[in-house]
Amino acid sequence: MDSTASVNLEAESKKRAQKVLAGCIIIVGIELGTLCVLSNYIGALCEQTGAELTQVALMFSVFNLTSAFVGLVVSALVDRVPMKTIMLVGAVCYIVFFAFLYAGSSLVMLYVGALFFGASNVCTGFAVAQSLITWWHARNVGKKISILSVAMSLFAMALSPIIANLLTVVGFKTTVLLNGGVLGVVMLLCVVFLISNKPSTYGLVPYESERLPEGAGQAYEPSGLTLKQAARTFSFWAILIAPALLMVPANGFVSNEAIIFQSYGFDAVTSGSMISLYNGFCIVWVFLYGTISDRIG
């Protein structure tokens, strides 16, 4: 390959990698930022459905269970189905979820909508976005992945008080329409114009891979262990159980933030601001974690 062709391929790789990173940041910011502030809707959903708080809060359990199931399915499809297709399905599911919130007046419709949000949470969330970043970027991967969490927190900071105020000023239906419609369209546009499939699909390699030291950044080679053999190791169970234990209290808090803050006497708007403050503090930690992981592995 002559030098001109090599330069062109490198430029194309850089262009696509930067677009993928920007697209993932926006999409994850919208999807998971929405998840972080969804508890703002609980009070209004109780009024819309005439249900009790615990019945509405069960929505979070429904989409968490759906996310777990869809996550297993997507993990098996990542190397077989184009990533753009997976993310496109996720963006559509995001819009469908809010369509159910808008049209729904019963718990059944709320729970059905939660199924779509659970699917969206995986198809446009960390699992897919992190894979895309590791495919397209060879350097500072930990820091770039941490930006996804920063985007989530920044988006939640901005969206939480907006939703809380909109619910008070324009009402539930209009707020849901704006949240799902406007942001859903933005996600679709990002998937179409910014996201690319694996670099090899276009005859490219990850951006900056040529700048890595000899032997660094090589593709991960599976150990060859079967699931049965892996299940006999301590590492398997540690990796499986530890994050699960961490996520139980984390998801429990995030899913009920607004209600928790309101139980201390805050009104709906102030609770939205407290959610914003909480996510502001998250930014410092996630960026620090990504930086450290790049330094020490």
Side-chain angles (χ1 to χ4, degrees):
M1 183 183 298
D2 59 47
S3 59
T4 302
S6 179
V7 170
N8 290 338
L9 287 175
E10 185 178 351
E12 178 67 15
S13 179
K14 178 181 179 180
K15 180 181 177 181
R16 285 186 179 272
Q18 290 176 336
K19 283 185 175 182
V20 165
L21 181 59
C24 287
I25 289 171
I26 297 170
I27 291 168
V28 169
I30 292 175
E31 170 65 34
L32 299 183
T34 299
L35 171 62
C36 290
V37 305
L38 206 57
S39 61
N40 282 303
Y41 285 109
I42 290 179
L45 286 170
C46 288
E47 294 178 8
Q48 290 291 314
T49 60
E52 297 178 356
L53 173 63
T54 52
Q55 292 175 308
V56 171
L58 185 61
M59 168 184 70
F60 293 95
S61 297
V62 173
F63 74 66
N64 279 321
L65 288 172
T66 305
S67 294
F69 174 75
V70 175
L72 294 174
V73 175
V74 170
S75 65
L77 296 177
V78 162
D79 288 322
R80 303 177 184 179
V81 178
M83 198 64 92
K84 289 190 73 162
T85 301
I86 293 175
M87 296 194 88
L88 190 63
V89 169
V92 171
C93 286
Y94 180 90
I95 295 173
V96 172
F97 166 66
F98 281 97
F100 270 93
L101 291 191
Y102 182 84
S105 58
S106 68
L107 284 173
V108 173
M109 293 194 72
L110 182 62
Y111 297 155
V112 173
L115 295 175
F116 286 94
F117 191 72
S120 174
N121 205 239
V122 174
C123 295
T124 57
F126 285 137
V128 172
Q130 288 178 358
S131 296
L132 276 169
I133 291 174
T134 56
W135 287 350
W136 279 99
H137 295 266
R139 301 179 66 196
N140 299 317
V141 174
K143 190 179 296 183
K144 289 170 183 175
I145 284 177
S146 72
I147 295 176
L148 298 178
S149 295
V150 172
M152 174 186 72
S153 297
L154 282 173
F155 191 87
M157 283 179 66
L159 186 60
S160 183
I162 291 174
I163 288 178
N165 279 283
L166 283 175
L167 285 169
T168 302
V169 176
V170 301
F172 175 77
K173 294 277 188 180
T174 304
T175 303
V176 166
L177 187 63
L178 291 172
N179 194 165
V182 175
L183 297 181
V185 169
V186 172
M187 291 175 71
L188 287 172
L189 292 175
C190 285
V191 174
V192 172
F193 294 106
L194 298 179
I195 299 301
S196 295
N197 297 314
K198 277 188 173 183
S200 57
T201 306
Y202 314 96
L204 302 172
V205 296
Y207 174 52
E208 293 188 314
S209 58
E210 71 283 350
R211 300 182 185 179
L212 291 175
E214 186 69 26
Q218 294 179 349
Y220 167 70
E221 292 293 337
S223 64
L225 290 176
T226 64
L227 178 60
K228 186 175 180 179
Q229 291 171 328
R232 295 172 183 169
T233 66
F234 171 79
S235 300
F236 174 84
W237 292 104
I239 293 171
L240 182 69
I241 295 173
L245 293 176
L246 290 171
M247 291 309 297
V248 169
N251 276 343
F253 178 73
V254 170
S255 299
N256 296 278
E257 281 180 281
I259 301 302
I260 292 171
F261 289 130
Q262 288 175 34
S263 71
Y264 282 95
F266 295 111
D267 60 25
V269 174
T270 310
S271 294
S273 298
M274 291 299 293
I275 294 174
S276 178
L277 182 63
Y278 164 78
N279 283 281
F281 283 112
C282 288
I283 293 174
V284 178
W285 296 110
V286 295
F287 191 74
L288 178 63
Y289 187 86
T291 302
I292 292 174
S293 68
D294 278 331
R295 295 278 181 90
I296 66 175

